[in-house]
Amino acid sequence: MRPRHTLALLLAASGTCLAQDGNALYGIADLGIRYVDNLGANNAPTAGGALPTVSSGVNKTSRWGLRGQESFGNGWQALYRLEGGLNLDTGSSAKSDKLFDRQAWVGLKTPLGSVYLGRQANLISDALSTVDPLGIRYASFNPNVNITGMSNTAFGRQAFGQQYGTSGYADNFYRLDNTVKVTANLGPVVARAAYSFGEAAGATSPLSTWGAGLTYQHEGVAVSGAAMRLRNRDNRVLDAASLGAACQLNDWQFKANAGYHRADTGAGQTVHQRVLSGGVSRQLMPDLLLTTAYYQVRRATTGRVNDGFQRAFAYLEKSLSPRTTVYLESDYTLWRGDAAGVTGTRANDRHGLGLTVGLMEKF
């Protein structure tokens, strides 16, 4: 069956779902006019020059999905979610090989906690959602999503260049297939544990992943962290960890996070990555929010020059309604070492600037 026919059938089926209690079609449409200098349309560093673009997901990632639940009484529920990313500027799916690349799971919720089975975000992603200074805005360019959460670990002239865990992609381990995730609600604390089956023929360890996380939230204070171990096909290990905090003081909110990776990439070859981030947001008016954030990324690789980058963001968001937001965004990147890479034989510029005016609609 052709992909467009599959999508048509799913949308038709969603009409039936929407007629039933507890099922819904939902999504986010986020598109902006973006001006970049010394960056390409995909925000990779270039050898210089300005470029106007139309970009999807500069605030929140454009997506669509189906979700639902059925209650059994006494706090028990069956749940499901199917969610795929969209490139709104071209109308294409975020991943050409997966219709529901973001989430595809079923779950069971109880008074004590929940269990979910299927393709899900990793535990570090869950931990970051509470303490990332940008609130997971601009996921494709946010260093906590890319590096700490492992959605795009390659930059400059270096990359892991191989798959760890069951994401299906090299250098992208933010979401994992074949995952069993368990959560337990302990008052102000949510505890999480997850295991992803590697499903490699003849062995249980290659491509498998396990980890645990804790999030504490009470009276405007949050502390959230997670640790994971991922393996590649050769059973080499990638260890990842994240720990952060958030504090709400009247109209001010402060967030900070630290992320760390250590990956065995070959015989005697390792990569160490560190991400430090902090930010402040201020509710200027009931419908006007200012958010600022700063990220510092450092990478050390066996046999290579240490590199990394610094990146700062500012967002001004105006809510026109509960579903509609207009926003202004700016970002500035300073590359370190040879992280900017080259274009042909010419070194790319070490400085990158982006400015966006955008509209986000939730449905």
Side-chain angles (χ1 to χ4, degrees), residues 76-90:
W76 287 73
Q77 291 180 323
L79 314 164
Y80 75 89
R81 181 166 293 194
L82 307 172
E83 185 176 288
L86 297 171
N87 297 317
L88 214 63
D89 50 332
T90 63

Side-chain angles (χ1 to χ4, degrees), residues 1 33 48 95 103 137 155 168 212 219 255 259 307 314 321 335:
M1 183 178 290
I33 298 174
K95 301 290 186 185
Q103 302 186 67
R137 289 173 179 83
F155 62 89
E219 294 183 351
K255 295 182 178 181
D307 63 5
S321 74
W335 302 96

Side-chain angles (χ1 to χ4, degrees), residues 71-146:
S71 298
F72 305 136
N74 299 319
W76 287 73
Q77 291 180 323
L79 314 164
Y80 75 89
R81 181 166 293 194
L82 307 172
E83 185 176 288
L86 297 171
N87 297 317
L88 214 63
D89 50 332
T90 63
S92 61
S93 296
K95 301 290 186 185
S96 60
D97 60 331
K98 294 181 185 291
L99 180 60
F100 298 113
D101 65 294
R102 294 177 59 85
Q103 302 186 67
W105 51 260
V106 295
L108 186 64
K109 184 178 181 180
T110 78
L112 297 178
S114 305
V115 58
Y116 307 93
L117 292 84
R119 180 172 174 84
Q120 303 170 62
N122 67 40
L123 291 174
I124 289 181
S125 165
D126 293 338
L128 283 170
S129 64
T130 306
V131 295
D132 173 51
L134 270 188
I136 315 295
R137 289 173 179 83
Y138 211 167
S140 65
F141 204 44
N142 181 326
N144 265 342
V145 177
N146 289 177

Side-chain angles (χ1 to χ4, degrees), residues 222-285:
V223 179
S224 187
M228 298 175 59
R229 168 162 285 189
L230 303 87
R231 294 183 181 272
N232 68 7
R233 293 186 182 275
D234 298 322
N235 220 22
R236 299 188 189 279
V237 168
L238 165 60
D239 288 323
S242 177
L243 179 63
C247 180
Q248 182 81 43
L249 295 174
N250 299 319
D251 292 333
W252 295 86
Q253 187 174 57
F254 304 88
K255 295 182 178 181
N257 195 80
Y260 178 76
H261 299 158
R262 182 193 182 280
D264 293 326
T265 56
Q269 298 288 316
T270 61
V271 177
H272 296 259
Q273 295 184 142
R274 171 177 59 83
V275 182
L276 299 178
S277 58
V280 180
S281 62
R282 162 77 165 158
Q283 195 74 48
L284 302 176
M285 298 173 61

Side-chain angles (χ1 to χ4, degrees), residues 200-211:
T204 59
S205 186
L207 295 180
S208 65
T209 302
W210 62 268

